[in-house]
Amino acid sequence: DVKVTQSSRYLVKRTGEKVFLECVQDMDHENMFWYRQDPGLGLRLIYFSYDVKMKEKGDIPEGYSVSREKKERFSLILESASTNQTSMYLCASSPQTGAEEPLHFGNGTRLTVT
Amino acid sequence: RKEVEQDPGPFNVPEGATVAFNCTYSNSASQSFFWYRQDCRKEPKLLMSVYSSGNEDGRFTAQLNRASQYISLLIRDSKLSDSATYLCVVNRRTGRRALTFGSGTRLQVQP
């Protein structure tokens, strides 16, 4: 079974702090994704990566950056946290085999910025 | 206009009922379609893929209408355990290759 692990289930940070959200997958998947989920807006794609050291912007990249130094790890960075970044953050992975491959999600990090 | 639109519900149905959800998508380049299920405070999980010819998995039937750009999910003989939010998901083969999620339809099956 694919396991996608997010380092924290709940996180509380102050405005202006630099925040790191870590995600690790154990199935050698090429693709990794970061989404945020907000009521009424659904899941929105922040950044994704198809390979090590490769990244692409999603729909809402502003205020975020990412790092993929190793295949199994994809980090989301909030350079200077703001209250409108309070949200549920979901990491996901999938193999490279095609667009039909399902996403495997981690169990999420609920971030509160005060 | 949102790329993927769903009725948020909630759909409140009694056990044993048949319920159907629709989802519309705006990008005609969309090529792959899925339904995911998300339980309260849990991560989304794949329920089923949606194929052009329609497909069935037990009590669940998914259909695709490319001409009208919508997909549907039919649940027969609803169970209490079917209570969840159902997310419509599409993928494009051109441009950005990543899944786009609808905001979900909430189903509450009542005893």
Side-chain angles (χ1 to χ4, degrees), chain A residues 9-10 33 35 37 40-45 48 50 56-59 88 90 96 98-108 110, chain B residues 2-3 31-34 36 38 41-46 49 51 85 87 89 91-93 95-104:
Chain A
R9 188 84 172 102
Y10 298 95
F33 306 83
Y35 287 87
Q37 186 172 28
L41 297 176
L43 277 82
R44 291 179 292 167
L45 182 65
F48 59 108
Y50 291 131
E56 283 195 42
K57 293 180 179 179
D59 296 316
M88 170 67 85
L90 289 157
Q96 186 66 42
E100 293 76 18
E101 288 296 328
L103 292 183
H104 300 269
F105 282 92
N107 58 7
R110 185 166 293 280
Chain B
K2 287 183 181 178
E3 192 165 343
Q31 290 291 332
S32 303
F33 307 90
F34 311 89
Y36 276 66
Q38 187 173 24
R41 299 185 187 281
K42 300 279 191 179
E43 71 276 17
K45 292 187 178 178
L46 179 68
S49 302
Y51 302 121
T85 297
L87 305 173
V89 186
N91 197 348
R92 289 179 266 132
R93 287 200 181 276
R96 176 170 58 74
R97 291 182 294 125
L99 295 181
T100 302
F101 286 74
S103 52

Side-chain angles (χ1 to χ4, degrees), chain A residues 24-25 32 58 65 69 71 83 86-87 90-91 100-101 114:
Chain A
V24 177
Q25 49 95 3
M32 295 190 76
S65 62
E69 295 297 317
K71 190 175 185 180
T83 54
T86 292
S87 187
L90 289 157
C91 174
E100 293 76 18
E101 288 296 328
T114 62

Side-chain angles (χ1 to χ4, degrees), chain B residues 1-19:
Chain B
R1 184 186 171 190
K2 287 183 181 178
E3 192 165 343
V4 180
E5 294 209 61
Q6 297 182 250
D7 181 342
F11 283 60
N12 295 305
V13 302
E15 268 186 294
T18 295
V19 61

